[in-house]
PDB file of all heavy atoms in Angstrom:
ATOM      1  N   LEU H   1      18.486  12.225 -14.124  1.00  0.00           N
ATOM      2  CA  LEU H   1      19.167  13.298 -14.765  1.00  0.00           C
ATOM      3  C   LEU H   1      20.128  13.966 -13.733  1.00  0.00           C
ATOM      4  O   LEU H   1      21.195  14.487 -14.075  1.00  0.00           O
ATOM      5  CB  LEU H   1      18.364  14.302 -15.367  1.00  0.00           C
ATOM      6  CG  LEU H   1      17.544  13.779 -16.578  1.00  0.00           C
ATOM      7  CD1 LEU H   1      16.664  14.844 -17.125  1.00  0.00           C
ATOM      8  CD2 LEU H   1      18.480  13.400 -17.713  1.00  0.00           C
ATOM      9  N   ASP H   2      19.810  13.854 -12.491  1.00  0.00           N
ATOM     10  CA  ASP H   2      20.569  14.590 -11.482  1.00  0.00           C
ATOM     11  C   ASP H   2      21.617  13.708 -10.704  1.00  0.00           C
ATOM     12  O   ASP H   2      22.306  14.205  -9.926  1.00  0.00           O
ATOM     13  CB  ASP H   2      19.673  15.269 -10.320  1.00  0.00           C
ATOM     14  CG  ASP H   2      18.924  14.235  -9.550  1.00  0.00           C
ATOM     15  OD1 ASP H   2      18.828  12.987  -9.962  1.00  0.00           O
ATOM     16  OD2 ASP H   2      18.398  14.641  -8.514  1.00  0.00           O
ATOM     17  N   ASN H   3      21.684  12.375 -11.108  1.00  0.00           N
ATOM     18  CA  ASN H   3      22.583  11.496 -10.514  1.00  0.00           C
ATOM     19  C   ASN H   3      23.288  10.460 -11.408  1.00  0.00           C
ATOM     20  O   ASN H   3      23.897   9.608 -10.990  1.00  0.00           O
ATOM     21  CB  ASN H   3      21.940  10.663  -9.308  1.00  0.00           C
ATOM     22  CG  ASN H   3      21.067   9.505  -9.839  1.00  0.00           C
ATOM     23  OD1 ASN H   3      20.780   9.402 -10.971  1.00  0.00           O
ATOM     24  ND2 ASN H   3      20.687   8.679  -8.876  1.00  0.00           N
ATOM     25  N   TYR H   4      23.175  10.671 -12.680  1.00  0.00           N
ATOM     26  CA  TYR H   4      23.547   9.496 -13.597  1.00  0.00           C
ATOM     27  C   TYR H   4      25.163   9.515 -13.858  1.00  0.00           C
ATOM     28  O   TYR H   4      25.675   8.503 -14.089  1.00  0.00           O
ATOM     29  CB  TYR H   4      22.975   9.751 -14.924  1.00  0.00           C
ATOM     30  CG  TYR H   4      23.527  10.780 -15.808  1.00  0.00           C
ATOM     31  CD1 TYR H   4      24.497  10.735 -16.713  1.00  0.00           C
ATOM     32  CD2 TYR H   4      22.933  12.197 -15.607  1.00  0.00           C
ATOM     33  CE1 TYR H   4      24.942  11.734 -17.522  1.00  0.00           C
ATOM     34  CE2 TYR H   4      23.416  13.190 -16.436  1.00  0.00           C
ATOM     35  CZ  TYR H   4      24.495  13.062 -17.318  1.00  0.00           C
ATOM     36  OH  TYR H   4      25.023  14.019 -18.146  1.00  0.00           O
ATOM     37  N   ARG H   5      25.736  10.654 -13.694  1.00  0.00           N
ATOM     38  CA  ARG H   5      27.279  10.659 -13.931  1.00  0.00           C
ATOM     39  C   ARG H   5      28.042   9.754 -13.101  1.00  0.00           C
ATOM     40  O   ARG H   5      28.175   9.988 -11.819  1.00  0.00           O
ATOM     41  CB  ARG H   5      27.806  12.059 -13.852  1.00  0.00           C
ATOM     42  CG  ARG H   5      27.325  12.929 -14.907  1.00  0.00           C
ATOM     43  CD  ARG H   5      27.765  14.425 -14.716  1.00  0.00           C
ATOM     44  NE  ARG H   5      26.995  15.356 -15.466  1.00  0.00           N
ATOM     45  CZ  ARG H   5      27.490  15.957 -16.563  1.00  0.00           C
ATOM     46  NH1 ARG H   5      28.857  15.690 -16.946  1.00  0.00           N
ATOM     47  NH2 ARG H   5      26.776  16.811 -17.318  1.00  0.00           N
ATOM     48  N   GLY H   6      28.579   8.727 -13.651  1.00  0.00           N
ATOM     49  CA  GLY H   6      29.395   7.659 -12.861  1.00  0.00           C
ATOM     50  C   GLY H   6      28.570   6.859 -11.878  1.00  0.00           C
ATOM     51  O   GLY H   6      29.153   6.196 -11.027  1.00  0.00           O
ATOM     52  N   ARG H   7      27.285   6.881 -12.028  1.00  0.00           N
ATOM     53  CA  ARG H   7      26.468   6.176 -10.972  1.00  0.00           C
ATOM     54  C   ARG H   7      26.645   4.745 -10.867  1.00  0.00           C
ATOM     55  O   ARG H   7      26.729   4.214  -9.790  1.00  0.00           O
ATOM     56  CB  ARG H   7      24.961   6.518 -11.255  1.00  0.00           C
ATOM     57  CG  ARG H   7      24.055   6.061 -10.161  1.00  0.00           C
ATOM     58  CD  ARG H   7      24.249   6.770  -8.799  1.00  0.00           C
ATOM     59  NE  ARG H   7      23.503   6.232  -7.740  1.00  0.00           N
ATOM     60  CZ  ARG H   7      24.138   5.885  -6.512  1.00  0.00           C
ATOM     61  NH1 ARG H   7      25.327   6.227  -6.268  1.00  0.00           N
ATOM     62  NH2 ARG H   7      23.432   5.320  -5.687  1.00  0.00           N
ATOM     63  N   ILE H   8      26.766   4.075 -12.002  1.00  0.00           N
ATOM     64  CA  ILE H   8      26.978   2.633 -11.914  1.00  0.00           C
ATOM     65  C   ILE H   8      28.224   2.208 -11.264  1.00  0.00           C
ATOM     66  O   ILE H   8      28.328   1.374 -10.404  1.00  0.00           O
ATOM     67  CB  ILE H   8      27.073   1.988 -13.467  1.00  0.00           C
ATOM     68  CG1 ILE H   8      25.681   2.416 -14.083  1.00  0.00           C
ATOM     69  CG2 ILE H   8      27.251   0.581 -13.341  1.00  0.00           C
ATOM     70  CD1 ILE H   8      24.449   1.824 -13.506  1.00  0.00           C
ATOM     71  N   GLY H   9      29.264   3.020 -11.460  1.00  0.00           N
ATOM     72  CA  GLY H   9      30.657   2.790 -10.820  1.00  0.00           C
ATOM     73  C   GLY H   9      30.645   3.047  -9.347  1.00  0.00           C
ATOM     74  O   GLY H   9      31.388   2.540  -8.573  1.00  0.00           O
ATOM     75  N   GLN H  10      29.649   3.957  -8.871  1.00  0.00           N
ATOM     76  CA  GLN H  10      29.514   4.249  -7.457  1.00  0.00           C
ATOM     77  C   GLN H  10      28.844   3.158  -6.683  1.00  0.00           C
ATOM     78  O   GLN H  10      28.968   3.138  -5.426  1.00  0.00           O
ATOM     79  CB  GLN H  10      28.761   5.564  -7.264  1.00  0.00           C
ATOM     80  CG  GLN H  10      29.500   6.787  -7.897  1.00  0.00           C
ATOM     81  CD  GLN H  10      28.594   8.032  -7.984  1.00  0.00           C
ATOM     82  OE1 GLN H  10      27.430   7.951  -7.571  1.00  0.00           O
ATOM     83  NE2 GLN H  10      29.116   9.051  -8.414  1.00  0.00           N
ATOM     84  N   LEU H  11      28.069   2.317  -7.300  1.00  0.00           N
ATOM     85  CA  LEU H  11      27.327   1.257  -6.651  1.00  0.00           C
ATOM     86  C   LEU H  11      28.210   0.087  -6.313  1.00  0.00           C
ATOM     87  O   LEU H  11      29.202  -0.203  -7.016  1.00  0.00           O
ATOM     88  CB  LEU H  11      26.199   0.695  -7.548  1.00  0.00           C
ATOM     89  CG  LEU H  11      25.151   1.748  -8.031  1.00  0.00           C
ATOM     90  CD1 LEU H  11      24.271   1.190  -9.029  1.00  0.00           C
ATOM     91  CD2 LEU H  11      24.383   2.320  -6.818  1.00  0.00           C
ATOM     92  N   GLN H  12      28.038  -0.486  -5.134  1.00  0.00           N
ATOM     93  CA  GLN H  12      28.678  -1.713  -4.749  1.00  0.00           C
ATOM     94  C   GLN H  12      28.013  -2.990  -5.367  1.00  0.00           C
ATOM     95  O   GLN H  12      27.125  -3.561  -4.707  1.00  0.00           O
ATOM     96  CB  GLN H  12      28.659  -1.839  -3.141  1.00  0.00           C
ATOM     97  CG  GLN H  12      29.359  -0.614  -2.566  1.00  0.00           C
ATOM     98  CD  GLN H  12      30.825  -0.525  -2.920  1.00  0.00           C
ATOM     99  OE1 GLN H  12      31.510  -1.486  -2.947  1.00  0.00           O
ATOM    100  NE2 GLN H  12      31.249   0.692  -3.228  1.00  0.00           N
ATOM    101  N   VAL H  13      28.280  -3.276  -6.568  1.00  0.00           N
ATOM    102  CA  VAL H  13      27.621  -4.362  -7.228  1.00  0.00           C
ATOM    103  C   VAL H  13      28.474  -5.635  -7.185  1.00  0.00           C
ATOM    104  O   VAL H  13      29.752  -5.437  -7.493  1.00  0.00           O
ATOM    105  CB  VAL H  13      27.309  -3.990  -8.755  1.00  0.00           C
ATOM    106  CG1 VAL H  13      26.719  -5.160  -9.498  1.00  0.00           C
ATOM    107  CG2 VAL H  13      26.418  -2.820  -8.754  1.00  0.00           C
ATOM    108  N   GLU H  14      27.939  -6.670  -6.790  1.00  0.00           N
ATOM    109  CA  GLU H  14      28.703  -8.000  -6.833  1.00  0.00           C
ATOM    110  C   GLU H  14      28.479  -8.582  -8.206  1.00  0.00           C
ATOM    111  O   GLU H  14      27.468  -9.196  -8.401  1.00  0.00           O
ATOM    112  CB  GLU H  14      28.165  -8.874  -5.687  1.00  0.00           C
ATOM    113  CG  GLU H  14      28.919 -10.195  -5.646  1.00  0.00           C
ATOM    114  CD  GLU H  14      28.248 -11.128  -4.584  1.00  0.00           C
ATOM    115  OE1 GLU H  14      27.987 -10.655  -3.530  1.00  0.00           O
ATOM    116  OE2 GLU H  14      28.061 -12.307  -4.884  1.00  0.00           O
ATOM    117  N   TRP H  15      29.409  -8.464  -9.115  1.00  0.00           N
ATOM    118  CA  TRP H  15      29.220  -8.865 -10.499  1.00  0.00           C
ATOM    119  C   TRP H  15      29.314 -10.394 -10.528  1.00  0.00           C
ATOM    120  O   TRP H  15      30.156 -10.972  -9.917  1.00  0.00           O
ATOM    121  CB  TRP H  15      30.213  -8.206 -11.422  1.00  0.00           C
ATOM    122  CG  TRP H  15      29.931  -6.656 -11.546  1.00  0.00           C
ATOM    123  CD1 TRP H  15      30.639  -5.744 -10.971  1.00  0.00           C
ATOM    124  CD2 TRP H  15      28.897  -6.072 -12.135  1.00  0.00           C
ATOM    125  NE1 TRP H  15      30.080  -4.473 -11.230  1.00  0.00           N
ATOM    126  CE2 TRP H  15      28.990  -4.675 -11.930  1.00  0.00           C
ATOM    127  CE3 TRP H  15      27.765  -6.440 -12.961  1.00  0.00           C
ATOM    128  CZ2 TRP H  15      28.173  -3.758 -12.508  1.00  0.00           C
ATOM    129  CZ3 TRP H  15      26.921  -5.493 -13.477  1.00  0.00           C
ATOM    130  CH2 TRP H  15      27.117  -4.057 -13.172  1.00  0.00           C
ATOM    131  N   GLY H  16      28.590 -10.991 -11.458  1.00  0.00           N
ATOM    132  CA  GLY H  16      28.684 -12.408 -11.641  1.00  0.00           C
ATOM    133  C   GLY H  16      27.320 -12.867 -12.067  1.00  0.00           C
ATOM    134  O   GLY H  16      26.411 -12.053 -12.343  1.00  0.00           O
ATOM    135  N   TRP H  17      27.090 -14.096 -12.122  1.00  0.00           N
ATOM    136  CA  TRP H  17      25.800 -14.667 -12.434  1.00  0.00           C
ATOM    137  C   TRP H  17      24.846 -14.443 -11.363  1.00  0.00           C
ATOM    138  O   TRP H  17      25.098 -14.710 -10.264  1.00  0.00           O
ATOM    139  CB  TRP H  17      25.998 -16.181 -12.886  1.00  0.00           C
ATOM    140  CG  TRP H  17      26.718 -16.351 -14.070  1.00  0.00           C
ATOM    141  CD1 TRP H  17      27.949 -16.741 -14.186  1.00  0.00           C
ATOM    142  CD2 TRP H  17      26.266 -16.237 -15.355  1.00  0.00           C
ATOM    143  NE1 TRP H  17      28.392 -16.757 -15.397  1.00  0.00           N
ATOM    144  CE2 TRP H  17      27.407 -16.467 -16.238  1.00  0.00           C
ATOM    145  CE3 TRP H  17      25.047 -15.797 -15.933  1.00  0.00           C
ATOM    146  CZ2 TRP H  17      27.209 -16.378 -17.631  1.00  0.00           C
ATOM    147  CZ3 TRP H  17      24.950 -15.849 -17.288  1.00  0.00           C
ATOM    148  CH2 TRP H  17      26.051 -16.027 -18.126  1.00  0.00           C
ATOM    149  N   GLY H  18      23.688 -14.017 -11.728  1.00  0.00           N
ATOM    150  CA  GLY H  18      22.539 -13.712 -10.723  1.00  0.00           C
ATOM    151  C   GLY H  18      21.400 -14.509 -11.155  1.00  0.00           C
ATOM    152  O   GLY H  18      21.357 -15.323 -12.269  1.00  0.00           O
ATOM    153  N   ASN H  19      20.320 -14.401 -10.455  1.00  0.00           N
ATOM    154  CA  ASN H  19      19.070 -15.125 -10.757  1.00  0.00           C
ATOM    155  C   ASN H  19      18.256 -14.152 -11.678  1.00  0.00           C
ATOM    156  O   ASN H  19      17.553 -13.223 -11.169  1.00  0.00           O
ATOM    157  CB  ASN H  19      18.427 -15.443  -9.520  1.00  0.00           C
ATOM    158  CG  ASN H  19      17.162 -16.308  -9.734  1.00  0.00           C
ATOM    159  OD1 ASN H  19      16.545 -16.238 -10.810  1.00  0.00           O
ATOM    160  ND2 ASN H  19      16.913 -17.312  -8.831  1.00  0.00           N
ATOM    161  N   VAL H  20      18.321 -14.397 -12.865  1.00  0.00           N
ATOM    162  CA  VAL H  20      17.517 -13.570 -13.883  1.00  0.00           C
ATOM    163  C   VAL H  20      15.988 -13.638 -13.594  1.00  0.00           C
ATOM    164  O   VAL H  20      15.302 -12.583 -13.812  1.00  0.00           O
ATOM    165  CB  VAL H  20      17.857 -13.925 -15.395  1.00  0.00           C
ATOM    166  CG1 VAL H  20      17.083 -13.172 -16.290  1.00  0.00           C
ATOM    167  CG2 VAL H  20      19.346 -13.784 -15.567  1.00  0.00           C
ATOM    168  N   ALA H  21      15.590 -14.841 -13.263  1.00  0.00           N
ATOM    169  CA  ALA H  21      14.077 -14.936 -13.022  1.00  0.00           C
ATOM    170  C   ALA H  21      13.701 -14.009 -11.864  1.00  0.00           C
ATOM    171  O   ALA H  21      12.584 -13.375 -11.902  1.00  0.00           O
ATOM    172  CB  ALA H  21      13.701 -16.407 -12.788  1.00  0.00           C
ATOM    173  N   ASP H  22      14.475 -13.948 -10.769  1.00  0.00           N
ATOM    174  CA  ASP H  22      14.201 -13.097  -9.669  1.00  0.00           C
ATOM    175  C   ASP H  22      14.278 -11.638 -10.055  1.00  0.00           C
ATOM    176  O   ASP H  22      13.417 -10.808  -9.664  1.00  0.00           O
ATOM    177  CB  ASP H  22      15.217 -13.336  -8.498  1.00  0.00           C
ATOM    178  CG  ASP H  22      14.882 -14.530  -7.686  1.00  0.00           C
ATOM    179  OD1 ASP H  22      13.852 -15.034  -7.822  1.00  0.00           O
ATOM    180  OD2 ASP H  22      15.658 -14.851  -6.832  1.00  0.00           O
ATOM    181  N   ALA H  23      15.283 -11.268 -10.998  1.00  0.00           N
ATOM    182  CA  ALA H  23      15.307  -9.942 -11.382  1.00  0.00           C
ATOM    183  C   ALA H  23      14.201  -9.563 -12.217  1.00  0.00           C
ATOM    184  O   ALA H  23      13.674  -8.424 -12.167  1.00  0.00           O
ATOM    185  CB  ALA H  23      16.551  -9.837 -12.239  1.00  0.00           C
ATOM    186  N   MET H  24      13.634 -10.459 -13.107  1.00  0.00           N
ATOM    187  CA  MET H  24      12.404 -10.169 -13.867  1.00  0.00           C
ATOM    188  C   MET H  24      11.177  -9.961 -12.941  1.00  0.00           C
ATOM    189  O   MET H  24      10.348  -9.042 -13.180  1.00  0.00           O
ATOM    190  CB  MET H  24      12.218 -11.214 -15.016  1.00  0.00           C
ATOM    191  CG  MET H  24      13.242 -11.276 -16.057  1.00  0.00           C
ATOM    192  SD  MET H  24      13.440  -9.676 -16.868  1.00  0.00           S
ATOM    193  CE  MET H  24      11.751  -9.504 -17.635  1.00  0.00           C
ATOM    194  N   ARG H  25      11.153 -10.808 -11.958  1.00  0.00           N
ATOM    195  CA  ARG H  25      10.006 -10.687 -10.933  1.00  0.00           C
ATOM    196  C   ARG H  25      10.078  -9.328 -10.315  1.00  0.00           C
ATOM    197  O   ARG H  25       9.083  -8.577 -10.040  1.00  0.00           O
ATOM    198  CB  ARG H  25      10.005 -11.777  -9.913  1.00  0.00           C
ATOM    199  CG  ARG H  25       9.403 -13.125 -10.441  1.00  0.00           C
ATOM    200  CD  ARG H  25       9.189 -14.141  -9.372  1.00  0.00           C
ATOM    201  NE  ARG H  25      10.433 -14.825  -9.001  1.00  0.00           N
ATOM    202  CZ  ARG H  25      11.018 -15.847  -9.626  1.00  0.00           C
ATOM    203  NH1 ARG H  25      10.346 -16.288 -10.730  1.00  0.00           N
ATOM    204  NH2 ARG H  25      12.047 -16.354  -9.179  1.00  0.00           N
ATOM    205  N   ARG H  26      11.238  -8.825  -9.971  1.00  0.00           N
ATOM    206  CA  ARG H  26      11.476  -7.563  -9.332  1.00  0.00           C
ATOM    207  C   ARG H  26      11.067  -6.457 -10.314  1.00  0.00           C
ATOM    208  O   ARG H  26      10.459  -5.431  -9.845  1.00  0.00           O
ATOM    209  CB  ARG H  26      12.995  -7.437  -8.909  1.00  0.00           C
ATOM    210  CG  ARG H  26      13.403  -6.044  -8.337  1.00  0.00           C
ATOM    211  CD  ARG H  26      12.598  -6.004  -6.882  1.00  0.00           C
ATOM    212  NE  ARG H  26      12.849  -4.736  -6.286  1.00  0.00           N
ATOM    213  CZ  ARG H  26      12.174  -3.637  -6.234  1.00  0.00           C
ATOM    214  NH1 ARG H  26      10.981  -3.797  -6.826  1.00  0.00           N
ATOM    215  NH2 ARG H  26      12.547  -2.527  -5.635  1.00  0.00           N
ATOM    216  N   ALA H  27      11.437  -6.581 -11.645  1.00  0.00           N
ATOM    217  CA  ALA H  27      11.036  -5.618 -12.637  1.00  0.00           C
ATOM    218  C   ALA H  27       9.534  -5.518 -12.774  1.00  0.00           C
ATOM    219  O   ALA H  27       8.892  -4.432 -12.838  1.00  0.00           O
ATOM    220  CB  ALA H  27      11.666  -5.938 -13.922  1.00  0.00           C
ATOM    221  N   VAL H  28       8.838  -6.668 -12.811  1.00  0.00           N
ATOM    222  CA  VAL H  28       7.401  -6.709 -12.916  1.00  0.00           C
ATOM    223  C   VAL H  28       6.762  -6.074 -11.652  1.00  0.00           C
ATOM    224  O   VAL H  28       5.825  -5.229 -11.710  1.00  0.00           O
ATOM    225  CB  VAL H  28       6.892  -8.062 -13.095  1.00  0.00           C
ATOM    226  CG1 VAL H  28       5.346  -8.229 -12.948  1.00  0.00           C
ATOM    227  CG2 VAL H  28       7.246  -8.532 -14.432  1.00  0.00           C
ATOM    228  N   SER H  29       7.257  -6.392 -10.486  1.00  0.00           N
ATOM    229  CA  SER H  29       6.744  -5.798  -9.190  1.00  0.00           C
ATOM    230  C   SER H  29       6.949  -4.298  -9.190  1.00  0.00           C
ATOM    231  O   SER H  29       6.012  -3.616  -8.748  1.00  0.00           O
ATOM    232  CB  SER H  29       7.480  -6.409  -8.059  1.00  0.00           C
ATOM    233  OG  SER H  29       7.169  -5.968  -6.873  1.00  0.00           O
ATOM    234  N   HIS H  30       8.070  -3.864  -9.536  1.00  0.00           N
ATOM    235  CA  HIS H  30       8.350  -2.341  -9.589  1.00  0.00           C
ATOM    236  C   HIS H  30       7.398  -1.717 -10.606  1.00  0.00           C
ATOM    237  O   HIS H  30       6.759  -0.713 -10.170  1.00  0.00           O
ATOM    238  CB  HIS H  30       9.786  -2.016  -9.992  1.00  0.00           C
ATOM    239  CG  HIS H  30      10.134  -0.632 -10.275  1.00  0.00           C
ATOM    240  ND1 HIS H  30      10.194   0.166  -9.154  1.00  0.00           N
ATOM    241  CD2 HIS H  30      10.159   0.127 -11.257  1.00  0.00           C
ATOM    242  CE1 HIS H  30      10.481   1.473  -9.613  1.00  0.00           C
ATOM    243  NE2 HIS H  30      10.374   1.412 -10.929  1.00  0.00           N
ATOM    244  N   TYR H  31       7.203  -2.311 -11.769  1.00  0.00           N
ATOM    245  CA  TYR H  31       6.166  -1.652 -12.660  1.00  0.00           C
ATOM    246  C   TYR H  31       4.761  -1.702 -12.034  1.00  0.00           C
ATOM    247  O   TYR H  31       4.136  -0.623 -12.041  1.00  0.00           O
ATOM    248  CB  TYR H  31       6.296  -2.537 -13.988  1.00  0.00           C
ATOM    249  CG  TYR H  31       5.259  -2.031 -14.949  1.00  0.00           C
ATOM    250  CD1 TYR H  31       5.516  -0.932 -15.718  1.00  0.00           C
ATOM    251  CD2 TYR H  31       4.055  -2.664 -15.163  1.00  0.00           C
ATOM    252  CE1 TYR H  31       4.556  -0.422 -16.732  1.00  0.00           C
ATOM    253  CE2 TYR H  31       3.169  -2.262 -16.073  1.00  0.00           C
ATOM    254  CZ  TYR H  31       3.407  -1.137 -16.916  1.00  0.00           C
ATOM    255  OH  TYR H  31       2.535  -0.601 -17.810  1.00  0.00           O
ATOM    256  N   GLN H  32       4.298  -2.788 -11.566  1.00  0.00           N
ATOM    257  CA  GLN H  32       3.068  -2.831 -10.919  1.00  0.00           C
ATOM    258  C   GLN H  32       2.833  -1.774  -9.680  1.00  0.00           C
ATOM    259  O   GLN H  32       1.852  -1.159  -9.625  1.00  0.00           O
ATOM    260  CB  GLN H  32       2.670  -4.209 -10.466  1.00  0.00           C
ATOM    261  CG  GLN H  32       2.548  -5.223 -11.667  1.00  0.00           C
ATOM    262  CD  GLN H  32       2.373  -6.643 -11.150  1.00  0.00           C
ATOM    263  OE1 GLN H  32       2.875  -7.018 -10.032  1.00  0.00           O
ATOM    264  NE2 GLN H  32       1.702  -7.476 -12.045  1.00  0.00           N
ATOM    265  N   GLU H  33       3.837  -1.680  -8.917  1.00  0.00           N
ATOM    266  CA  GLU H  33       3.733  -0.817  -7.768  1.00  0.00           C
ATOM    267  C   GLU H  33       3.788   0.746  -8.316  1.00  0.00           C
ATOM    268  O   GLU H  33       3.274   1.506  -7.542  1.00  0.00           O
ATOM    269  CB  GLU H  33       5.005  -1.020  -6.840  1.00  0.00           C
ATOM    270  CG  GLU H  33       4.898  -2.343  -6.149  1.00  0.00           C
ATOM    271  CD  GLU H  33       6.165  -2.665  -5.436  1.00  0.00           C
ATOM    272  OE1 GLU H  33       7.115  -1.868  -5.386  1.00  0.00           O
ATOM    273  OE2 GLU H  33       6.273  -3.735  -4.894  1.00  0.00           O
ATOM    274  N   SER H  34       4.222   0.920  -9.454  1.00  0.00           N
ATOM    275  CA  SER H  34       4.378   2.405  -9.906  1.00  0.00           C
ATOM    276  C   SER H  34       3.190   2.858 -10.348  1.00  0.00           C
ATOM    277  O   SER H  34       2.881   4.074 -10.507  1.00  0.00           O
ATOM    278  CB  SER H  34       5.439   2.405 -11.069  1.00  0.00           C
ATOM    279  OG  SER H  34       4.813   1.882 -12.211  1.00  0.00           O
ATOM    280  N   GLY H  35       2.164   1.907 -10.662  1.00  0.00           N
ATOM    281  CA  GLY H  35       0.779   2.347 -11.082  1.00  0.00           C
ATOM    282  C   GLY H  35       0.799   2.783 -12.568  1.00  0.00           C
ATOM    283  O   GLY H  35      -0.215   3.264 -13.194  1.00  0.00           O
ATOM    284  N   ALA H  36       1.891   2.547 -13.225  1.00  0.00           N
ATOM    285  CA  ALA H  36       1.841   2.886 -14.708  1.00  0.00           C
ATOM    286  C   ALA H  36       0.946   2.100 -15.499  1.00  0.00           C
ATOM    287  O   ALA H  36       0.730   0.889 -15.164  1.00  0.00           O
ATOM    288  CB  ALA H  36       3.338   2.658 -15.214  1.00  0.00           C
TER     289      ALA H  36
END
């Protein structure tokens, strides 16, 4: 809530095709590390 305004545009994102499987593994890892 304190950083959302224009945040995506502020990031240096290299747009294009990425490795979706790696992204899903990162999502699962983040979730597990959060203890949720």
